[in-house]
Amino acid sequence: MEHRVHNFYAGPAALPRPVLEEIKENFLSFRGSGMSITEISHRSDLFDELLDDTINRVNRLLGLNEGHHVLFIQGGASQQFCMIPMNLALPGKPIDYINTGVWSTKAIKEARIQGKDVRVIATSEDRDFSYVPVDYTVDGDASYLHFTSNNTIMGTQWQQYPDGKGVPLIADMSSDFMSHPIDGTPFGMIYAGAQKNIGPSGLAMVIIRDDMLERVPDDLPTLLKYTTFHDHKSLFNTPPTFTIYAINLVLAWLEETVGGLEEIERRNRQKASLIYELIDNSEIYHGIAEPASRSLMNITFRLPDPKSEQRFLAEAQNNGFIGLKGHRAIGGCRASIYNAVTIDSVKSLVAFMEEFEKTCS
Ligand SMILES: Cc1ncc(COP(=O)(O)O)c(C=O)c1O
């Protein structure tokens, strides 16, 4: 008998069930070829069509124009922390960062290692990164302005993106990519590790604008240059072909089954509000993120003490709710409810949490 659980892992994370079924059904023969997707040359027409289709889907879903290019780069989002300053810092111009938690801090660290002129123009460290700053000044003289759109660990999310005052924005959208519509125009670059909202692990999707590609210095190592990936359509060397295939299926599900990013945002808001409502009316669950900065993707909360948290997590697991332990950096609990987590899973979790609260009185 099939055994599936309610999966709330932060990443790698739940994938849409129709995607998993499609992979299973056609694994031995990709598009009637008699070969698995894992056995096909990345130089074949079959793979090339898949790659083109994936890029076209990204462009359609995000409404991007021709000035933006979709790249697939190994090394995850963390590799981008180092590639961004290396490729996109302009000589004599500082690079601006907004620090909203662990992932922004890591991005800043990689830029400093390279000796770049890093300016942290805003930070929410004063209150343990429990909010996203709204009060800061953007100078307009920087090479770029980097921020993390959704802070996976603390459970905060930008409600309105910064105004770069003409400075290109660069956003780490790893944990809320494709979860709502965006206006790509002010972004010099957007990137996201695949393993949260768009597929299995193995790469970062990078969306980069023409003028950013012009900044790439000639003397960088080949595989650390954005131009290498752009000029060879992400096929300079062998890409993670299975991951790209799975991303293609997730994007097809988003476009054709869900109906696009407005609809997925509506669903995501509905799911998140069910859990936040419960937290706001509870005696035992306390939200970690400040309400004005709450994430629709990662909902973080604590129970009154570590012992009740442990009991909560153990009972949740026994009841088929997996992945609710908070990140080791902050502890507590976290429900990650990315696009593929169903409203039914969320309703079941809410019912479980209500029942658990009753056992605490
Ligand atoms: C916002 C954010 N940025 C970057 C990363 C790092 O991603 P990767 O493991 O793909 O390097 C994560 C991973 O959890 C993340 O949540």
Side-chain angles (χ1 to χ4, degrees), residues 95-100 104 108 112 117-125 137 145:
I95 50 179
D96 284 355
Y97 282 73
I98 298 179
N99 190 358
T100 50
S104 318
I108 291 164
R112 288 204 168 122
D117 180 9
V118 180
R119 290 192 308 203
V120 178
I121 62 161
T123 174
S124 50
E125 203 170 357
T137 311
L145 169 59

Side-chain angles (χ1 to χ4, degrees), residues 76-78 81 103 148 150 152 172 174-175 195-196:
S78 303
F81 298 162
W103 298 112
T148 314
N150 184 77
T152 326
D172 174 0
S174 291
S175 49
Q195 67 275 13
K196 294 162 196 301

Side-chain angles (χ1 to χ4, degrees), residues 250-322:
V250 172
L251 299 181
W253 169 80
L254 261 177
E255 268 197 295
E256 282 142 34
T257 308
V258 174
L261 297 190
E262 279 174 19
E263 172 59 17
I264 202 74
E265 178 178 10
R266 190 192 66 75
R267 294 184 193 184
N268 287 332
R269 285 192 182 281
Q270 191 190 3
K271 288 186 294 181
S273 68
L274 288 174
I275 304 181
Y276 284 127
E277 246 169 62
L278 166 79
I279 288 176
D280 288 342
N281 292 308
S282 157
E283 298 288 320
I284 65 160
Y285 304 112
H286 305 290
I288 294 176
E290 294 185 10
S293 302
R294 281 174 165 173
S295 167
L296 299 184
M297 299 278 100
N298 310 97
I299 301 187
T300 50
F301 54 96
R302 295 191 201 285
L303 279 81
D305 53 73
K307 217 170 136 201
S308 36
E309 264 166 17
Q310 272 166 17
R311 188 165 75 84
F312 171 77
L313 291 170
E315 285 190 26
Q317 177 138 350
N318 288 341
N319 284 277
F321 301 98
I322 306 299

Side-chain angles (χ1 to χ4, degrees), residues 210-223:
D210 278 333
D211 54 322
M212 298 291 106
L213 290 169
E214 283 163 20
R215 296 182 178 190
V216 177
D218 285 338
D219 58 354
L220 296 182
T222 312
L223 270 176

Side-chain angles (χ1 to χ4, degrees), residues 84-95 114-117 141-144 211-212 214-219:
I84 290 163
M86 198 178 265
N87 282 265
L88 306 180
L90 293 169
K93 281 190 157 203
I95 50 179
Q114 296 172 45
K116 302 289 181 193
D117 180 9
D141 67 339
S143 299
Y144 59 76
D211 54 322
M212 298 291 106
E214 283 163 20
R215 296 182 178 190
V216 177
D218 285 338
D219 58 354

